[in-house]
Amino acid sequence: PLAVVLCVGFASCDKDDDDENSSRGSIVGTWESEEAFGREYSIEIYRFYADGRFEYEYLEGDYSSGNSRVLDESSGTYSFSDGRVTLNYQESTIAEEVGTTYSFDVRISGDEMYVEEYGDGYVFYRE
């Protein structure tokens, strides 16, 4: 999956953040990130459910025309432990994702989820 908004600063000494990242409950919900470039935009959405399922959606659109198109819809199961999310893809519009596992580091602070993957940082907001 593509991540879209750069985030700076992952450091935190707050014990509550560590507690929040230690269980699945803190990640449950809908998380969205949007990036705009000129008249165009992309939106990335993760939905994490309490029963261990996830859904992912990536779309691109054009502000001037109001049109958007979904480029990826995926779903499966996830685990969340020690600040790391692991996704197990069971369905996807991108065929090579089906049956694969993908992991990334996260830090949740309130309604913001900072994602770190491949050395880059991104921010998602709880909807």
Side-chain angles (χ1 to χ4, degrees), residues 44-101:
E44 196 172 9
I45 302 167
Y46 283 100
R47 291 179 187 90
F48 295 103
Y49 299 97
D51 65 0
R53 294 178 304 115
F54 82 92
E55 295 174 342
Y56 172 80
E57 186 175 9
Y58 179 80
L59 58 103
E60 290 183 345
D62 185 307
Y63 290 116
S64 59
S65 70
N67 294 328
S68 66
R69 62 189 174 119
V70 175
L71 298 179
D72 183 14
E73 288 182 301
S74 302
S75 63
T77 60
Y78 76 94
S79 61
F80 180 51
S81 180
D82 297 324
R84 188 150 185 88
V85 174
T86 300
L87 307 176
N88 298 299
Y89 287 86
Q90 296 166 344
E91 296 182 25
S92 179
T93 53
I94 298 177
E96 60 267 13
E97 285 184 351
V98 175
T100 65
T101 299

Coordinates of all heavy atoms in Angstrom, one line a residue, residues 44-101:
E44 N -5.9 7.6 1.4 CA -5.6 6.2 1.8 C -6.4 6.0 3.1 O -6.4 6.8 4.0 CB -4.1 6.1 2.1 CG -3.6 4.7 2.2 CD -2.1 4.7 2.3 OE1 -1.5 5.8 2.5 OE2 -1.6 3.6 2.3
I45 N -7.2 4.9 3.2 CA -8.0 4.6 4.3 C -7.8 3.2 4.9 O -7.8 2.3 4.1 CB -9.5 4.8 3.9 CG1 -9.8 6.1 3.4 CG2 -10.4 4.4 5.1 CD1 -11.2 6.3 2.7
Y46 N -7.6 3.1 6.2 CA -7.5 1.8 6.8 C -8.7 1.8 7.8 O -8.9 2.7 8.6 CB -6.2 1.7 7.7 CG -5.0 1.4 6.9 CD1 -4.1 2.4 6.5 CD2 -4.7 0.1 6.5 CE1 -2.9 2.1 5.8 CE2 -3.6 -0.2 5.7 CZ -2.7 0.8 5.4 OH -1.6 0.5 4.7
R47 N -9.4 0.6 7.8 CA -10.4 0.4 8.8 C -10.0 -0.9 9.6 O -9.9 -2.0 9.0 CB -11.8 0.1 8.1 CG -12.3 1.4 7.5 CD -13.7 1.1 6.8 NE -14.1 2.2 6.0 CZ -13.8 2.5 4.8 NH1 -13.0 1.6 4.1 NH2 -14.2 3.6 4.1
F48 N -9.8 -0.7 10.9 CA -9.4 -1.8 11.7 C -10.6 -2.1 12.6 O -11.1 -1.3 13.3 CB -8.2 -1.5 12.6 CG -6.9 -1.2 11.8 CD1 -6.5 0.0 11.5 CD2 -6.2 -2.3 11.3 CE1 -5.3 0.2 10.8 CE2 -5.1 -2.1 10.5 CZ -4.6 -0.9 10.3
Y49 N -11.0 -3.4 12.7 CA -12.2 -3.8 13.4 C -11.7 -4.6 14.7 O -10.7 -5.3 14.7 CB -13.1 -4.7 12.6 CG -13.6 -4.0 11.4 CD1 -13.0 -4.1 10.1 CD2 -14.7 -3.1 11.5 CE1 -13.5 -3.4 9.0 CE2 -15.2 -2.4 10.4 CZ -14.6 -2.6 9.2 OH -15.1 -1.9 8.1
A50 N -12.5 -4.6 15.7 CA -12.2 -5.2 17.0 C -12.0 -6.7 16.9 O -11.3 -7.3 17.7 CB -13.2 -4.9 18.1
D51 N -12.6 -7.3 15.9 CA -12.5 -8.8 15.7 C -11.3 -9.2 14.9 O -11.2 -10.4 14.6 CB -13.8 -9.3 15.0 CG -14.0 -8.8 13.6 OD1 -13.2 -8.1 13.1 OD2 -15.0 -9.2 13.0
G52 N -10.4 -8.3 14.6 CA -9.1 -8.6 14.0 C -9.2 -8.5 12.4 O -8.2 -8.9 11.8
R53 N -10.2 -8.0 11.9 CA -10.3 -7.8 10.4 C -9.9 -6.4 10.1 O -10.0 -5.5 10.9 CB -11.7 -8.0 9.9 CG -12.3 -9.4 10.0 CD -13.8 -9.5 9.5 NE -14.6 -8.5 10.2 CZ -15.2 -7.5 9.7 NH1 -15.1 -7.2 8.4 NH2 -16.0 -6.7 10.4
F54 N -9.4 -6.2 8.8 CA -9.1 -4.9 8.3 C -9.6 -4.7 6.9 O -9.8 -5.7 6.2 CB -7.6 -4.5 8.4 CG -6.8 -5.1 7.2 CD1 -6.6 -4.3 6.1 CD2 -6.3 -6.4 7.3 CE1 -5.9 -4.9 5.0 CE2 -5.6 -6.9 6.2 CZ -5.4 -6.2 5.0
E55 N -9.8 -3.5 6.5 CA -10.1 -3.1 5.1 C -9.2 -2.0 4.8 O -8.9 -1.1 5.6 CB -11.6 -2.7 5.0 CG -12.6 -3.8 5.2 CD -14.0 -3.4 5.2 OE1 -14.3 -2.1 5.3 OE2 -14.9 -4.2 5.1
Y56 N -8.8 -1.9 3.5 CA -7.9 -0.9 3.1 C -8.5 -0.4 1.7 O -9.0 -1.1 0.9 CB -6.5 -1.4 2.8 CG -5.6 -0.5 2.2 CD1 -5.0 0.6 2.9 CD2 -5.3 -0.6 0.8 CE1 -4.1 1.5 2.2 CE2 -4.5 0.3 0.2 CZ -3.9 1.4 0.9 OH -3.1 2.3 0.3
E57 N -8.4 1.0 1.5 CA -8.8 1.6 0.3 C -7.9 2.7 -0.1 O -7.5 3.5 0.8 CB -10.2 2.1 0.5 CG -10.9 2.6 -0.8 CD -12.3 3.0 -0.5 OE1 -12.8 3.1 0.6 OE2 -13.0 3.3 -1.5
Y58 N -7.5 2.7 -1.4 CA -6.7 3.8 -1.9 C -7.4 4.4 -3.1 O -7.7 3.6 -4.0 CB -5.3 3.3 -2.3 CG -4.4 4.3 -2.8 CD1 -3.8 5.2 -2.0 CD2 -4.2 4.5 -4.2 CE1 -2.9 6.2 -2.5 CE2 -3.4 5.5 -4.7 CZ -2.8 6.3 -3.9 OH -2.0 7.3 -4.4
L59 N -7.6 5.7 -3.1 CA -8.2 6.3 -4.3 C -7.5 7.6 -4.7 O -6.8 8.2 -3.9 CB -9.7 6.5 -4.0 CG -10.1 7.4 -2.8 CD1 -10.5 8.8 -3.3 CD2 -11.2 6.8 -2.1
E60 N -7.7 8.0 -5.9 CA -7.2 9.2 -6.4 C -8.4 10.0 -7.0 O -9.3 9.4 -7.5 CB -6.1 9.0 -7.5 CG -4.8 8.4 -6.9 CD -3.7 8.2 -8.0 OE1 -4.0 8.3 -9.2 OE2 -2.6 8.1 -7.5
G61 N -8.2 11.3 -7.0 CA -9.3 12.1 -7.6 C -8.8 13.5 -8.1 O -7.6 13.8 -8.0
D62 N -9.8 14.2 -8.6 CA -9.5 15.5 -9.2 C -10.5 16.5 -8.5 O -11.7 16.3 -8.7 CB -9.7 15.5 -10.7 CG -9.3 16.8 -11.4 OD1 -9.8 17.8 -11.0 OD2 -8.5 16.7 -12.3
Y63 N -10.0 17.5 -7.9 CA -10.9 18.5 -7.2 C -11.7 19.2 -8.2 O -12.9 19.5 -7.9 CB -10.0 19.5 -6.4 CG -9.4 19.0 -5.2 CD1 -8.0 19.0 -5.1 CD2 -10.1 18.5 -4.1 CE1 -7.3 18.5 -4.0 CE2 -9.5 18.1 -3.0 CZ -8.1 18.0 -2.9 OH -7.5 17.6 -1.8
S64 N -11.2 19.6 -9.4 CA -11.9 20.4 -10.3 C -13.1 19.7 -10.9 O -14.2 20.3 -11.2 CB -11.0 21.0 -11.4 OG -10.4 19.9 -12.1
S65 N -12.9 18.4 -11.2 CA -14.0 17.6 -11.8 C -14.9 16.9 -10.8 O -16.0 16.6 -11.1 CB -13.5 16.6 -12.8 OG -12.8 15.6 -12.0
G66 N -14.4 16.8 -9.6 CA -15.1 16.1 -8.5 C -15.1 14.6 -8.7 O -15.7 13.8 -8.0
N67 N -14.3 14.1 -9.7 CA -14.3 12.6 -10.0 C -13.2 12.0 -9.1 O -12.1 12.6 -8.9 CB -14.0 12.4 -11.5 CG -15.1 12.8 -12.3 OD1 -16.3 12.8 -12.0 ND2 -14.8 13.3 -13.5
S68 N -13.4 10.8 -8.7 CA -12.4 10.0 -8.1 C -12.5 8.5 -8.5 O -13.6 8.1 -9.0 CB -12.5 10.1 -6.5 OG -13.7 9.5 -6.1
R69 N -11.4 7.8 -8.4 CA -11.4 6.4 -8.7 C -10.6 5.6 -7.7 O -9.6 6.0 -7.2 CB -10.9 6.1 -10.1 CG -9.5 6.5 -10.3 CD -9.0 6.5 -11.8 NE -7.7 7.0 -11.9 CZ -6.7 6.4 -12.3 NH1 -6.8 5.1 -12.7 NH2 -5.5 6.9 -12.4
V70 N -11.2 4.4 -7.4 CA -10.5 3.5 -6.4 C -9.4 2.8 -7.1 O -9.7 2.1 -8.2 CB -11.5 2.6 -5.7 CG1 -10.8 1.6 -4.9 CG2 -12.6 3.4 -5.0
L71 N -8.2 2.8 -6.6 CA -7.1 2.1 -7.3 C -6.8 0.8 -6.5 O -6.2 -0.1 -7.1 CB -5.9 2.9 -7.3 CG -6.0 4.2 -8.1 CD1 -4.7 5.0 -8.1 CD2 -6.3 3.9 -9.6
D72 N -7.2 0.7 -5.3 CA -7.0 -0.6 -4.5 C -8.0 -0.7 -3.4 O -8.3 0.3 -2.7 CB -5.6 -0.5 -3.9 CG -5.2 -1.8 -3.2 OD1 -5.9 -2.9 -3.3 OD2 -4.2 -1.8 -2.4
E73 N -8.6 -1.9 -3.3 CA -9.4 -2.2 -2.2 C -8.9 -3.6 -1.7 O -8.9 -4.5 -2.5 CB -10.9 -2.3 -2.6 CG -11.5 -1.0 -2.9 CD -13.0 -1.2 -3.2 OE1 -13.3 -1.9 -4.2 OE2 -13.8 -0.6 -2.5
S74 N -8.6 -3.7 -0.4 CA -8.0 -4.9 0.1 C -8.7 -5.2 1.5 O -9.2 -4.3 2.1 CB -6.5 -4.8 0.3 OG -5.9 -4.5 -0.9
S75 N -8.6 -6.4 1.9 CA -9.1 -6.8 3.2 C -8.4 -8.1 3.7 O -7.8 -8.8 2.9 CB -10.6 -7.0 3.2 OG -11.0 -8.1 2.4
G76 N -8.6 -8.3 5.0 CA -8.0 -9.5 5.6 C -8.0 -9.4 7.1 O -8.9 -8.8 7.6
T77 N -7.0 -10.0 7.7 CA -6.9 -9.9 9.1 C -5.6 -9.2 9.5 O -4.7 -9.0 8.7 CB -6.9 -11.4 9.7 OG1 -5.7 -12.1 9.2 CG2 -8.1 -12.1 9.4
Y78 N -5.6 -8.7 10.8 CA -4.4 -8.0 11.2 C -4.1 -8.4 12.7 O -5.0 -8.9 13.4 CB -4.6 -6.5 11.1 CG -5.5 -5.9 12.2 CD1 -5.0 -5.4 13.4 CD2 -6.9 -5.9 12.1 CE1 -5.8 -4.9 14.4 CE2 -7.7 -5.4 13.0 CZ -7.2 -4.9 14.2 OH -8.0 -4.4 15.2
S79 N -2.9 -8.1 13.1 CA -2.5 -8.1 14.5 C -1.8 -6.8 14.8 O -1.2 -6.2 13.9 CB -1.6 -9.3 14.7 OG -0.4 -9.3 14.0
F80 N -1.9 -6.4 16.1 CA -1.2 -5.2 16.5 C -0.6 -5.4 17.9 O -1.3 -5.7 18.8 CB -2.3 -4.1 16.6 CG -1.8 -2.7 17.0 CD1 -0.7 -2.2 16.4 CD2 -2.4 -2.1 18.1 CE1 -0.2 -0.9 16.9 CE2 -1.9 -0.8 18.5 CZ -0.8 -0.3 17.9
S81 N 0.7 -5.3 17.9 CA 1.4 -5.6 19.1 C 2.7 -4.8 19.2 O 3.4 -4.8 18.2 CB 1.7 -7.1 19.3 OG 2.4 -7.4 20.4
D82 N 3.0 -4.3 20.3 CA 4.3 -3.6 20.5 C 4.6 -2.5 19.4 O 5.7 -2.4 18.9 CB 5.5 -4.6 20.6 CG 5.4 -5.5 21.8 OD1 4.9 -5.0 22.8 OD2 5.7 -6.7 21.7
G83 N 3.5 -1.8 19.0 CA 3.7 -0.7 18.0 C 3.9 -1.2 16.6 O 4.4 -0.4 15.8
R84 N 3.5 -2.4 16.3 CA 3.7 -3.0 15.0 C 2.4 -3.6 14.5 O 1.8 -4.4 15.2 CB 4.8 -4.0 14.9 CG 5.2 -4.4 13.6 CD 6.7 -4.8 13.5 NE 7.1 -5.2 12.1 CZ 7.5 -4.3 11.3 NH1 7.6 -3.0 11.6 NH2 7.9 -4.6 10.1
V85 N 2.0 -3.2 13.3 CA 0.8 -3.8 12.7 C 1.2 -4.8 11.6 O 2.1 -4.5 10.8 CB 0.0 -2.7 12.0 CG1 -1.2 -3.2 11.2 CG2 -0.5 -1.7 13.0
T86 N 0.6 -5.9 11.6 CA 0.9 -6.9 10.6 C -0.5 -7.2 9.9 O -1.4 -7.6 10.5 CB 1.5 -8.2 11.2 OG1 2.7 -7.9 11.8 CG2 1.7 -9.2 10.1
L87 N -0.5 -7.0 8.6 CA -1.7 -7.3 7.8 C -1.5 -8.6 7.0 O -0.5 -8.8 6.4 CB -1.9 -6.1 6.8 CG -1.9 -4.7 7.3 CD1 -2.0 -3.7 6.2 CD2 -3.0 -4.5 8.3
N88 N -2.6 -9.4 7.0 CA -2.6 -10.6 6.2 C -3.7 -10.5 5.2 O -4.9 -10.5 5.5 CB -2.9 -11.8 7.1 CG -1.8 -12.0 8.2 OD1 -0.7 -12.2 7.9 ND2 -2.2 -11.9 9.4
Y89 N -3.3 -10.2 3.9 CA -4.2 -9.9 2.9 C -4.9 -11.2 2.4 O -4.3 -12.2 2.0 CB -3.5 -9.3 1.7 CG -3.1 -7.9 1.9 CD1 -1.9 -7.6 2.5 CD2 -3.9 -6.9 1.5 CE1 -1.5 -6.3 2.8 CE2 -3.5 -5.6 1.7 CZ -2.3 -5.3 2.4 OH -1.9 -4.0 2.6
Q90 N -6.3 -11.2 2.4 CA -7.1 -12.3 2.0 C -7.8 -12.0 0.7 O -8.1 -12.9 -0.1 CB -8.0 -12.7 3.1 CG -7.3 -13.2 4.3 CD -8.1 -13.4 5.5 OE1 -9.2 -12.8 5.6 NE2 -7.6 -14.1 6.5
E91 N -8.1 -10.7 0.5 CA -8.8 -10.2 -0.8 C -8.1 -8.9 -1.2 O -7.8 -8.1 -0.3 CB -10.3 -10.0 -0.6 CG -11.0 -11.3 -0.2 CD -12.5 -11.0 -0.1 OE1 -13.0 -10.0 -0.7 OE2 -13.2 -11.8 0.6
S92 N -8.0 -8.7 -2.5 CA -7.4 -7.4 -2.9 C -7.7 -7.2 -4.4 O -7.7 -8.2 -5.2 CB -5.9 -7.4 -2.7 OG -5.4 -6.1 -3.2
T93 N -7.9 -6.0 -4.8 CA -8.0 -5.7 -6.3 C -6.6 -5.8 -6.9 O -6.5 -5.8 -8.1 CB -8.6 -4.3 -6.5 OG1 -7.9 -3.3 -5.8 CG2 -10.1 -4.3 -6.1
I94 N -5.5 -5.8 -6.1 CA -4.2 -6.0 -6.6 C -3.8 -7.4 -6.4 O -3.5 -7.8 -5.2 CB -3.2 -5.0 -6.0 CG1 -3.6 -3.6 -6.3 CG2 -1.8 -5.3 -6.4 CD1 -2.7 -2.5 -5.6
A95 N -3.9 -8.3 -7.4 CA -3.8 -9.7 -7.3 C -2.6 -10.2 -6.5 O -2.7 -11.1 -5.7 CB -3.8 -10.4 -8.6
E96 N -1.4 -9.6 -6.6 CA -0.2 -10.1 -6.0 C -0.2 -9.8 -4.4 O 0.6 -10.4 -3.7 CB 1.1 -9.5 -6.6 CG 1.2 -8.0 -6.5 CD 0.6 -7.3 -7.8 OE1 0.0 -7.9 -8.6 OE2 0.9 -6.1 -7.9
E97 N -1.2 -9.0 -3.9 CA -1.3 -8.8 -2.5 C -2.0 -10.0 -1.8 O -1.8 -10.2 -0.6 CB -2.1 -7.5 -2.2 CG -1.3 -6.3 -2.4 CD -2.0 -5.0 -2.0 OE1 -3.2 -5.1 -1.8 OE2 -1.4 -4.0 -2.0
V98 N -2.9 -10.7 -2.5 CA -3.6 -11.8 -1.9 C -2.7 -12.9 -1.4 O -1.8 -13.3 -2.1 CB -4.7 -12.4 -2.9 CG1 -5.4 -13.6 -2.3 CG2 -5.6 -11.3 -3.3
G99 N -2.8 -13.2 -0.1 CA -2.0 -14.3 0.5 C -0.7 -13.7 1.0 O 0.1 -14.5 1.5
T100 N -0.5 -12.4 1.0 CA 0.8 -11.9 1.5 C 0.6 -11.2 2.8 O -0.5 -11.0 3.3 CB 1.4 -10.8 0.5 OG1 0.5 -9.7 0.5 CG2 1.6 -11.3 -0.9
T101 N 1.7 -11.0 3.5 CA 1.7 -10.4 4.8 C 2.6 -9.1 4.7 O 3.6 -9.1 4.1 CB 2.4 -11.3 5.9 OG1 1.6 -12.5 6.0 CG2 2.4 -10.7 7.2

